Amino acid sequence: GIQVEQSPPDLILQEGANSTLRCNFSDSVNNLQWFHQNPWGQLINLFYIPSGTKQNGRLSATTVATERYSLLYISSSQTTDSGVYFCAVISGNTPLVFGKGTRLSVIA
Amino acid sequence: DAGVIQSPRHEVTEMGQEVTLRCKPISGHNSLFWYRQTMMRGLELLIYFNNNVPIDDSGMPEDRFSAKMPNASFSTLKIQPSEPRDSAVYFCASSLQGQNTEAFFGQGTRLTVV
């Protein structure tokens, strides 16, 4: 099955800093989503982005499907951005396959 | 819409007991997914339904696990008998028109088997 690798596994930022999270996948995809799992465990939809670029406030994402990667940009990070960021993909007829996530800690 | 609704939010049960987790998908969504999250294995798919029909249950760990979707607005995941290694967070998700659309997750059920 498709493999999803996220990097870095852990990231510590000072409040106000910018960061880039990466998601690599091993096969072509027809769906890609980014999620934020907050400290209470809730999975929050950030982007549905099988290709192209989207922006939502301080967050933006780019997926280059032909090169099999997606990037999540967080600008001017805040402590509320802390949590785990997951990339999940659909390839062919498989449901969402998740990466292991990037654990982000933003320090005031 | 209230989103995907799961109940209970937390469940603590003794080994050997039956556990039933419940899910109400977003109205109009016709695909429903059950995932399990553990520290060791991350988020893994257990089973999914399209139009109330189970499509792939290859992720169900063993015969102690079963899932049903009697109608478009309700699904259950049952574990009988439960074991300590079943302790995890169980998520339900739903999407519209099969798999190639955005999926939305419920808040999860944290199961602890003692």
mmCIF file of all heavy atoms in Angstrom, chain B residues 43-73:
data_model
loop_
_atom_site.group_PDB
_atom_site.id
_atom_site.type_symbol
_atom_site.label_atom_id
_atom_site.label_comp_id
_atom_site.label_asym_id
_atom_site.label_seq_id
_atom_site.Cartn_x
_atom_site.Cartn_y
_atom_site.Cartn_z
ATOM 1 N N LEU B 43 -2.723 6.206 13.533
ATOM 2 C CA LEU B 43 -4.113 6.146 13.080
ATOM 3 C C LEU B 43 -4.236 5.071 12.015
ATOM 4 O O LEU B 43 -3.625 5.163 10.947
ATOM 5 C CB LEU B 43 -4.538 7.490 12.510
ATOM 6 C CG LEU B 43 -5.006 8.525 13.530
ATOM 7 C CD1 LEU B 43 -4.781 9.933 13.021
ATOM 8 C CD2 LEU B 43 -6.472 8.305 13.870
ATOM 9 N N GLU B 44 -5.029 4.050 12.291
ATOM 10 C CA GLU B 44 -5.190 2.964 11.352
ATOM 11 C C GLU B 44 -6.677 2.705 11.089
ATOM 12 O O GLU B 44 -7.501 2.773 12.011
ATOM 13 C CB GLU B 44 -4.516 1.684 11.854
ATOM 14 C CG GLU B 44 -4.910 1.270 13.251
ATOM 15 C CD GLU B 44 -4.220 0.018 13.735
ATOM 16 O OE1 GLU B 44 -3.568 -0.683 12.934
ATOM 17 O OE2 GLU B 44 -4.341 -0.285 14.939
ATOM 18 N N LEU B 45 -6.974 2.401 9.833
ATOM 19 C CA LEU B 45 -8.356 2.138 9.441
ATOM 20 C C LEU B 45 -8.782 0.747 9.905
ATOM 21 O O LEU B 45 -8.057 -0.228 9.717
ATOM 22 C CB LEU B 45 -8.484 2.213 7.924
ATOM 23 C CG LEU B 45 -9.879 1.903 7.356
ATOM 24 C CD1 LEU B 45 -10.832 3.063 7.626
ATOM 25 C CD2 LEU B 45 -9.789 1.627 5.864
ATOM 26 N N LEU B 46 -9.942 0.682 10.518
ATOM 27 C CA LEU B 46 -10.502 -0.609 10.919
ATOM 28 C C LEU B 46 -11.461 -1.145 9.863
ATOM 29 O O LEU B 46 -11.338 -2.285 9.411
ATOM 30 C CB LEU B 46 -11.230 -0.468 12.258
ATOM 31 C CG LEU B 46 -10.376 -0.019 13.447
ATOM 32 C CD1 LEU B 46 -11.246 0.131 14.696
ATOM 33 C CD2 LEU B 46 -9.240 -0.996 13.690
ATOM 34 N N ILE B 47 -12.423 -0.312 9.455
ATOM 35 C CA ILE B 47 -13.458 -0.737 8.523
ATOM 36 C C ILE B 47 -14.091 0.502 7.909
ATOM 37 O O ILE B 47 -14.067 1.576 8.516
ATOM 38 C CB ILE B 47 -14.539 -1.592 9.239
ATOM 39 C CG1 ILE B 47 -15.572 -2.155 8.247
ATOM 40 C CG2 ILE B 47 -15.223 -0.785 10.337
ATOM 41 C CD1 ILE B 47 -16.522 -3.167 8.892
ATOM 42 N N TYR B 48 -14.615 0.356 6.669
ATOM 43 C CA TYR B 48 -15.400 1.463 6.142
ATOM 44 C C TYR B 48 -16.609 0.958 5.381
ATOM 45 O O TYR B 48 -16.622 -0.177 4.877
ATOM 46 C CB TYR B 48 -14.558 2.432 5.309
ATOM 47 C CG TYR B 48 -14.165 1.969 3.929
ATOM 48 C CD1 TYR B 48 -14.902 2.353 2.810
ATOM 49 C CD2 TYR B 48 -13.004 1.223 3.739
ATOM 50 C CE1 TYR B 48 -14.509 1.975 1.532
ATOM 51 C CE2 TYR B 48 -12.613 0.843 2.464
ATOM 52 C CZ TYR B 48 -13.356 1.218 1.369
ATOM 53 O OH TYR B 48 -12.967 0.845 0.115
ATOM 54 N N PHE B 49 -17.615 1.810 5.328
ATOM 55 C CA PHE B 49 -18.897 1.519 4.701
ATOM 56 C C PHE B 49 -19.159 2.531 3.583
ATOM 57 O O PHE B 49 -18.843 3.716 3.731
ATOM 58 C CB PHE B 49 -20.045 1.648 5.715
ATOM 59 C CG PHE B 49 -20.000 0.689 6.860
ATOM 60 C CD1 PHE B 49 -19.204 0.941 7.969
ATOM 61 C CD2 PHE B 49 -20.774 -0.464 6.856
ATOM 62 C CE1 PHE B 49 -19.172 0.065 9.042
ATOM 63 C CE2 PHE B 49 -20.764 -1.338 7.932
ATOM 64 C CZ PHE B 49 -19.948 -1.075 9.028
ATOM 65 N N ASN B 50 -19.747 2.065 2.503
ATOM 66 C CA ASN B 50 -20.319 2.939 1.484
ATOM 67 C C ASN B 50 -21.803 2.604 1.373
ATOM 68 O O ASN B 50 -22.157 1.433 1.188
ATOM 69 C CB ASN B 50 -19.653 2.741 0.119
ATOM 70 C CG ASN B 50 -18.351 3.503 -0.008
ATOM 71 O OD1 ASN B 50 -18.012 4.332 0.827
ATOM 72 N ND2 ASN B 50 -17.611 3.204 -1.053
ATOM 73 N N ASN B 51 -22.644 3.614 1.491
ATOM 74 C CA ASN B 51 -24.096 3.396 1.416
ATOM 75 C C ASN B 51 -24.538 2.259 2.346
ATOM 76 O O ASN B 51 -25.305 1.380 1.955
ATOM 77 C CB ASN B 51 -24.516 3.109 -0.032
ATOM 78 C CG ASN B 51 -24.265 4.290 -0.945
ATOM 79 O OD1 ASN B 51 -24.604 5.427 -0.599
ATOM 80 N ND2 ASN B 51 -23.628 4.054 -2.076
ATOM 81 N N ASN B 52 -24.025 2.277 3.553
ATOM 82 C CA ASN B 52 -24.380 1.353 4.642
ATOM 83 C C ASN B 52 -23.817 -0.050 4.452
ATOM 84 O O ASN B 52 -24.072 -0.924 5.294
ATOM 85 C CB ASN B 52 -25.899 1.257 4.829
ATOM 86 C CG ASN B 52 -26.580 2.597 4.891
ATOM 87 O OD1 ASN B 52 -25.952 3.602 5.209
ATOM 88 N ND2 ASN B 52 -27.855 2.625 4.578
ATOM 89 N N VAL B 53 -23.070 -0.296 3.399
ATOM 90 C CA VAL B 53 -22.537 -1.635 3.113
ATOM 91 C C VAL B 53 -21.052 -1.669 3.476
ATOM 92 O O VAL B 53 -20.297 -0.801 3.029
ATOM 93 C CB VAL B 53 -22.719 -1.987 1.622
ATOM 94 C CG1 VAL B 53 -22.082 -3.340 1.315
ATOM 95 C CG2 VAL B 53 -24.204 -1.986 1.252
ATOM 96 N N PRO B 54 -20.628 -2.669 4.273
ATOM 97 C CA PRO B 54 -19.198 -2.765 4.581
ATOM 98 C C PRO B 54 -18.403 -3.098 3.328
ATOM 99 O O PRO B 54 -18.730 -4.049 2.609
ATOM 100 C CB PRO B 54 -19.138 -3.891 5.619
ATOM 101 C CG PRO B 54 -20.372 -4.695 5.393
ATOM 102 C CD PRO B 54 -21.409 -3.747 4.905
ATOM 103 N N ILE B 55 -17.373 -2.290 3.064
ATOM 104 C CA ILE B 55 -16.577 -2.469 1.857
ATOM 105 C C ILE B 55 -15.271 -3.182 2.149
ATOM 106 O O ILE B 55 -14.846 -4.060 1.403
ATOM 107 C CB ILE B 55 -16.284 -1.102 1.188
ATOM 108 C CG1 ILE B 55 -17.585 -0.372 0.857
ATOM 109 C CG2 ILE B 55 -15.422 -1.281 -0.053
ATOM 110 C CD1 ILE B 55 -18.511 -1.136 -0.068
ATOM 111 N N ASP B 56 -14.623 -2.796 3.235
ATOM 112 C CA ASP B 56 -13.328 -3.383 3.559
ATOM 113 C C ASP B 56 -13.182 -3.435 5.064
ATOM 114 O O ASP B 56 -13.146 -2.404 5.722
ATOM 115 C CB ASP B 56 -12.207 -2.540 2.941
ATOM 116 C CG ASP B 56 -10.818 -3.145 3.186
ATOM 117 O OD1 ASP B 56 -10.709 -4.173 3.882
ATOM 118 O OD2 ASP B 56 -9.833 -2.558 2.680
ATOM 119 N N ASP B 57 -13.132 -4.642 5.600
ATOM 120 C CA ASP B 57 -12.944 -4.805 7.046
ATOM 121 C C ASP B 57 -11.608 -5.467 7.345
ATOM 122 O O ASP B 57 -11.423 -6.042 8.420
ATOM 123 C CB ASP B 57 -14.095 -5.595 7.659
ATOM 124 C CG ASP B 57 -14.147 -7.036 7.159
ATOM 125 O OD1 ASP B 57 -13.362 -7.386 6.257
ATOM 126 O OD2 ASP B 57 -14.974 -7.808 7.665
ATOM 127 N N SER B 58 -10.682 -5.378 6.434
ATOM 128 C CA SER B 58 -9.393 -6.052 6.617
ATOM 129 C C SER B 58 -8.592 -5.465 7.763
ATOM 130 O O SER B 58 -7.675 -6.098 8.272
ATOM 131 C CB SER B 58 -8.573 -6.003 5.326
ATOM 132 O OG SER B 58 -8.331 -4.666 4.944
ATOM 133 N N GLY B 59 -8.945 -4.260 8.191
ATOM 134 C CA GLY B 59 -8.240 -3.644 9.307
ATOM 135 C C GLY B 59 -8.775 -4.039 10.669
ATOM 136 O O GLY B 59 -8.155 -3.720 11.691
ATOM 137 N N MET B 60 -9.877 -4.742 10.705
ATOM 138 C CA MET B 60 -10.420 -5.183 11.992
ATOM 139 C C MET B 60 -9.455 -6.202 12.581
ATOM 140 O O MET B 60 -9.161 -7.233 11.946
ATOM 141 C CB MET B 60 -11.800 -5.804 11.784
ATOM 142 C CG MET B 60 -12.823 -4.813 11.243
ATOM 143 S SD MET B 60 -13.400 -3.673 12.491
ATOM 144 C CE MET B 60 -14.940 -4.469 12.928
ATOM 145 N N PRO B 61 -8.995 -5.969 13.794
ATOM 146 C CA PRO B 61 -7.887 -6.778 14.317
ATOM 147 C C PRO B 61 -8.216 -8.255 14.506
ATOM 148 O O PRO B 61 -7.367 -9.096 14.264
ATOM 149 C CB PRO B 61 -7.540 -6.097 15.637
ATOM 150 C CG PRO B 61 -8.615 -5.131 15.925
ATOM 151 C CD PRO B 61 -9.359 -4.859 14.690
ATOM 152 N N GLU B 62 -9.393 -8.577 14.906
ATOM 153 C CA GLU B 62 -9.744 -9.985 15.117
ATOM 154 C C GLU B 62 -11.251 -10.105 15.268
ATOM 155 O O GLU B 62 -11.979 -9.110 15.223
ATOM 156 C CB GLU B 62 -9.003 -10.544 16.326
ATOM 157 C CG GLU B 62 -9.046 -9.646 17.544
ATOM 158 C CD GLU B 62 -8.017 -10.045 18.580
ATOM 159 O OE1 GLU B 62 -8.276 -10.983 19.344
ATOM 160 O OE2 GLU B 62 -6.931 -9.420 18.596
ATOM 161 N N ASP B 63 -11.689 -11.348 15.429
ATOM 162 C CA ASP B 63 -13.127 -11.612 15.453
ATOM 163 C C ASP B 63 -13.846 -10.969 16.625
ATOM 164 O O ASP B 63 -15.074 -10.904 16.636
ATOM 165 C CB ASP B 63 -13.384 -13.126 15.467
ATOM 166 C CG ASP B 63 -12.982 -13.780 14.165
ATOM 167 O OD1 ASP B 63 -12.792 -13.031 13.185
ATOM 168 O OD2 ASP B 63 -12.860 -15.008 14.127
ATOM 169 N N ARG B 64 -13.104 -10.503 17.600
ATOM 170 C CA ARG B 64 -13.751 -9.847 18.739
ATOM 171 C C ARG B 64 -14.357 -8.506 18.332
ATOM 172 O O ARG B 64 -15.172 -7.953 19.051
ATOM 173 C CB ARG B 64 -12.737 -9.638 19.860
ATOM 174 C CG ARG B 64 -12.158 -10.930 20.424
ATOM 175 C CD ARG B 64 -11.233 -10.644 21.606
ATOM 176 N NE ARG B 64 -10.066 -9.854 21.236
ATOM 177 C CZ ARG B 64 -9.916 -8.573 21.519
ATOM 178 N NH1 ARG B 64 -10.853 -7.920 22.202
ATOM 179 N NH2 ARG B 64 -8.814 -7.939 21.152
ATOM 180 N N PHE B 65 -13.915 -7.995 17.198
ATOM 181 C CA PHE B 65 -14.396 -6.704 16.713
ATOM 182 C C PHE B 65 -15.458 -6.926 15.640
ATOM 183 O O PHE B 65 -15.281 -7.751 14.734
ATOM 184 C CB PHE B 65 -13.248 -5.890 16.099
ATOM 185 C CG PHE B 65 -12.294 -5.305 17.097
ATOM 186 C CD1 PHE B 65 -11.442 -6.117 17.837
ATOM 187 C CD2 PHE B 65 -12.225 -3.939 17.286
ATOM 188 C CE1 PHE B 65 -10.560 -5.580 18.753
ATOM 189 C CE2 PHE B 65 -11.341 -3.385 18.197
ATOM 190 C CZ PHE B 65 -10.505 -4.204 18.930
ATOM 191 N N SER B 66 -16.537 -6.149 15.733
ATOM 192 C CA SER B 66 -17.557 -6.182 14.693
ATOM 193 C C SER B 66 -18.140 -4.779 14.538
ATOM 194 O O SER B 66 -18.145 -3.990 15.485
ATOM 195 C CB SER B 66 -18.672 -7.180 15.030
ATOM 196 O OG SER B 66 -19.336 -6.809 16.217
ATOM 197 N N ALA B 67 -18.595 -4.465 13.329
ATOM 198 C CA ALA B 67 -19.178 -3.148 13.059
ATOM 199 C C ALA B 67 -20.423 -3.324 12.213
ATOM 200 O O ALA B 67 -20.489 -4.221 11.361
ATOM 201 C CB ALA B 67 -18.184 -2.241 12.358
ATOM 202 N N LYS B 68 -21.385 -2.455 12.471
ATOM 203 C CA LYS B 68 -22.633 -2.481 11.719
ATOM 204 C C LYS B 68 -23.034 -1.069 11.338
ATOM 205 O O LYS B 68 -22.654 -0.103 12.000
ATOM 206 C CB LYS B 68 -23.759 -3.111 12.551
ATOM 207 C CG LYS B 68 -23.560 -4.579 12.861
ATOM 208 C CD LYS B 68 -24.739 -5.129 13.660
ATOM 209 C CE LYS B 68 -24.547 -6.602 13.979
ATOM 210 N NZ LYS B 68 -25.686 -7.143 14.773
ATOM 211 N N MET B 69 -23.816 -0.980 10.280
ATOM 212 C CA MET B 69 -24.392 0.301 9.888
ATOM 213 C C MET B 69 -25.820 0.017 9.428
ATOM 214 O O MET B 69 -26.066 -0.191 8.236
ATOM 215 C CB MET B 69 -23.580 0.978 8.797
ATOM 216 C CG MET B 69 -23.972 2.419 8.582
ATOM 217 S SD MET B 69 -22.776 3.346 7.633
ATOM 218 C CE MET B 69 -23.496 4.987 7.749
ATOM 219 N N PRO B 70 -26.747 -0.022 10.350
ATOM 220 C CA PRO B 70 -28.124 -0.411 10.016
ATOM 221 C C PRO B 70 -28.863 0.605 9.158
ATOM 222 O O PRO B 70 -29.818 0.244 8.461
ATOM 223 C CB PRO B 70 -28.787 -0.577 11.385
ATOM 224 C CG PRO B 70 -27.955 0.247 12.312
ATOM 225 C CD PRO B 70 -26.559 0.205 11.778
ATOM 226 N N ASN B 71 -28.422 1.872 9.216
ATOM 227 C CA ASN B 71 -29.034 2.893 8.374
ATOM 228 C C ASN B 71 -28.019 4.000 8.125
ATOM 229 O O ASN B 71 -26.906 3.979 8.676
ATOM 230 C CB ASN B 71 -30.323 3.435 9.005
ATOM 231 C CG ASN B 71 -30.079 3.995 10.386
ATOM 232 O OD1 ASN B 71 -29.327 4.949 10.563
ATOM 233 N ND2 ASN B 71 -30.722 3.394 11.389
ATOM 234 N N ALA B 72 -28.409 4.959 7.314
ATOM 235 C CA ALA B 72 -27.461 5.991 6.875
ATOM 236 C C ALA B 72 -27.036 6.936 7.987
ATOM 237 O O ALA B 72 -26.108 7.719 7.802
ATOM 238 C CB ALA B 72 -28.082 6.786 5.725
ATOM 239 N N SER B 73 -27.693 6.897 9.123
ATOM 240 C CA SER B 73 -27.387 7.870 10.162
ATOM 241 C C SER B 73 -26.828 7.252 11.435
ATOM 242 O O SER B 73 -26.742 7.922 12.463
ATOM 243 C CB SER B 73 -28.654 8.666 10.494
ATOM 244 O OG SER B 73 -29.683 7.818 10.931
#
